[in-house]
Amino acid sequence: MGQPTPATDDGWWRSAVIYQVYVRSFADGDGDGTGDLAGVRARLPYLAELGVDALWFTPWYRSPMKDGGYDVADYRAIDPAFGTLAEAEKLIAEARERGIRTIVDIVPNHVSAQHPWFRAALAGGPGRELFHFRPGRGEHGELPPNDWQSEFGGPAWTRLPDGDWYLHLFAPEQPDLNWAHPAVRQEHEDILRFWFERGVAGVRVDSAALLAKDPELPDVTEGRAPHPYVDRDELHDVYRAWRAVADEYGAVFVGEVWLPDTERFARYLRPDELHTAFNFSFLTCPWDADRLRTSIDDTLAEHAPVGAPATWVLCNHDVTRTVTRYGRADTGFDFATKAFGTPTDLALGTRRARAAALLSLALPGAVYVYQGEELGLPEADIPLDRIEDPMHARSGGTDPGRDGCRVPLPWAAGEPHAGFGGEPWLPQPDGWAAYAADRQAEDPGSMLSLYRAAIRLRPEFGDGPLTWLPAPDGVLAFTRADALCVVNLADTPVDLPAHTELLLHSGPLDTAGRLPGDTAVWLRA
């Protein structure tokens, strides 16, 4: 077992570049077509050269994989498809030797239907009080206990042969835990300690605002306040208890908190709760200067009262990849449709994704980079018979699912399966090798080279606040410390502000030295 993280906090997380690893699709070390911890360990030199400060691993625990690992059967065991607990401990230690910290994913709202607690509950033994079991409505209990709907479509209830129903805000294979029960709270605090003692530096909290439920489980009536299961006040006691555990180890939290109310969002970031939370308004913002500036200003303003750093992310394992999204006529993001159906101009999307990378990496706070974004990967079209994401099936096929952004990475252009390993669990599109990391590493104009340079130069912006500069319509320009970032989202080139040195650009300037549209530049004042 690795050594515990010391109970000190140097604030590294306030400005870190954190790389999201979706293990199943990162690198296959044993040739079976599934990414694994051996594959990640072999690619640590690549991650170190990229310059990231930490790795965030989506769930690597034992799981039936009914929802990509977010259906956890055992939090203290690594899924055999990925490796062993001993390998995870080696990975944590070896990454730390390279200056890279590890963040693991916790899914507190629910567990797998294969979890020992739920299996015992189904077997008629003790433990049903750890979940939400209820009789149905209707003359014979044939109707769900309430009108709650699953995030994946359809009712949030499944009926058992004995007539009772159980709650699952996601898939039926993911029963919701009852967070009013002290055993549930104690178990998760023990899980945190288990991983902190193995050297983990932080935890990402999945669906962080959904844990607590109104004990009456009422219908979701429009306008009901408080909501019966979103952002309930009693949830903050959970995170205060978690923070006390994390503080013993100098560890940090990042919460997945989807809330339109900025004041209530900020409550999760008070000094005795979560350290950071994901910023989804920036991710979902269209390629529009005014709306991006509003998103940036609002994000910084909502974090300021609690002294928490903002986080910036362009993509993750749940959304359409940036190149594809920005290459569509409607560059906003529709979570209901994943913005599919609109023709994509990949050249346009790539130019914008390069500019967006420089924008996000210049902003104050932490930045999350989803694996493959540094390679400029587009969204992949998955054959219908190969889609595994439950969102597709649960929606009756109307939702394309999230597998298009989860296709295994291309590492070596000249090797089978683009160097991923064995035949990938999701098919790689034709031409995927053109995005291979080894090819891009030799090209100074590649997306990979841009990311490496940007992460290396990011300290030029210091750790101070952002100051907007006067700029033409369609242009974002700001300064931090002695560095300037200018992003031209307009159709026509613009002159650069006064500067002493051009540090980095997402694309070439025109012959007159102006910044073309859909291009960003970093300057030294």
Side-chain angles (χ1 to χ4, degrees), residues 97-126:
E97 289 172 0
R98 294 179 178 273
I100 302 174
R101 294 171 168 87
T102 297
I103 296 172
V104 297
D105 215 314
I106 294 293
V107 191
N109 179 71
H110 49 264
V111 294
S112 165
Q114 297 301 312
H115 190 282
W117 280 5
F118 194 70
R119 294 173 68 179
L122 293 186

Side-chain angles (χ1 to χ4, degrees), residues 97-402:
E97 289 172 0
R98 294 179 178 273
I100 302 174
R101 294 171 168 87
T102 297
I103 296 172
V104 297
D105 215 314
I106 294 293
V107 191
N109 179 71
H110 49 264
V111 294
S112 165
Q114 297 301 312
H115 190 282
W117 280 5
F118 194 70
R119 294 173 68 179
L122 293 186
R128 285 206 171 190
E129 69 276 8
L130 301 176
F131 300 91
H132 297 280
F133 287 89
R134 294 290 189 279
R137 297 192 290 193
E139 183 179 357
H140 303 291
E142 72 278 9
L143 300 176
N146 63 30
D147 65 356
W148 297 6
Q149 296 295 296
S150 163
E151 296 288 326
F152 291 164
W157 295 89
T158 290
R159 196 179 193 188
L160 298 169
D162 65 9
D164 269 356
W165 298 73
Y166 70 88
L167 175 68
H168 52 84
L169 289 180
F170 293 85
E173 296 86 0
Q174 297 165 291
D176 278 37
L177 290 164
N178 175 14
W179 273 87
H181 198 288
V184 173
R185 295 184 58 161
Q186 185 60 56
E187 169 67 0
H188 282 76
E189 291 175 24
D190 292 346
I191 290 168
L192 294 176
R193 292 182 186 278
F194 180 88
W195 287 106
F196 292 155
E197 288 173 1
R198 280 156 179 79
V200 162
V203 167
R204 180 261 189 185
V205 187
D206 182 72
S207 300
L210 301 184
L211 281 58
K213 276 79 173 177
D214 185 326
E216 300 299 321
L217 300 182
D219 285 347
V220 179
T221 304
E222 186 173 355
R224 174 184 290 276
H227 194 282
Y229 63 82
V230 177
D231 182 35
R232 294 186 61 81
D233 288 344
E234 57 265 38
L235 181 53
H236 294 280
D237 286 339
V238 172
Y239 293 133
R240 290 188 185 97
W242 283 25
R243 180 61 177 262
V245 175
D247 285 349
E248 295 178 27
Y249 297 88
V252 299
F253 292 115
V254 55
E256 183 191 29
V257 182
W258 295 82
L259 292 177
D261 186 321
T262 58
E263 290 186 7
R264 292 195 67 86
F265 171 86
R267 295 173 75 224
Y268 289 84
L269 302 177
R270 289 176 290 194
D272 60 346
E273 295 192 43
L274 304 179
H275 298 73
T276 61
F278 282 135
N279 166 27
F280 292 108
S281 76
F282 184 75
L283 182 155
T284 59
C285 196
W287 188 245
D288 177 271
D290 290 339
R291 292 180 66 176
L292 279 168
R293 176 165 175 170
T294 297
S295 173
I296 293 167
D297 284 341
D298 288 351
T299 297
L300 295 176
E302 69 189 24
H303 285 74
V306 287
T311 64
W312 311 99
V313 60
L314 295 171
C315 188
N316 63 31
H317 64 294
D318 285 334
V319 302
T320 302
R321 282 200 178 271
T322 310
V323 164
T324 298
R325 199 170 71 248
Y326 281 156
R328 290 177 173 147
D330 175 13
T331 54
F333 184 75
D334 183 343
F335 277 93
T337 65
K338 302 295 187 297
F340 272 60
T342 307
T344 295
D345 180 342
L346 287 182
L348 173 65
T350 299
R351 287 199 305 274
R352 289 175 171 175
R354 290 172 65 91
L358 293 197
L359 171 61
S360 62
L361 286 163
L363 293 170
V367 178
Y368 284 77
V369 178
Y370 177 48
Q371 65 180 42
E373 288 292 289
E374 81 281 10
L375 302 177
L377 297 182
E379 188 82 358
D381 290 325
I382 308 297
L384 292 179
D385 63 345
R386 296 293 300 275
I387 294 177
E388 296 197 12
D389 185 4
M391 291 187 76
H392 178 70
R394 293 274 294 178
S395 70
T398 60
D399 190 312
R402 300 161 293 179

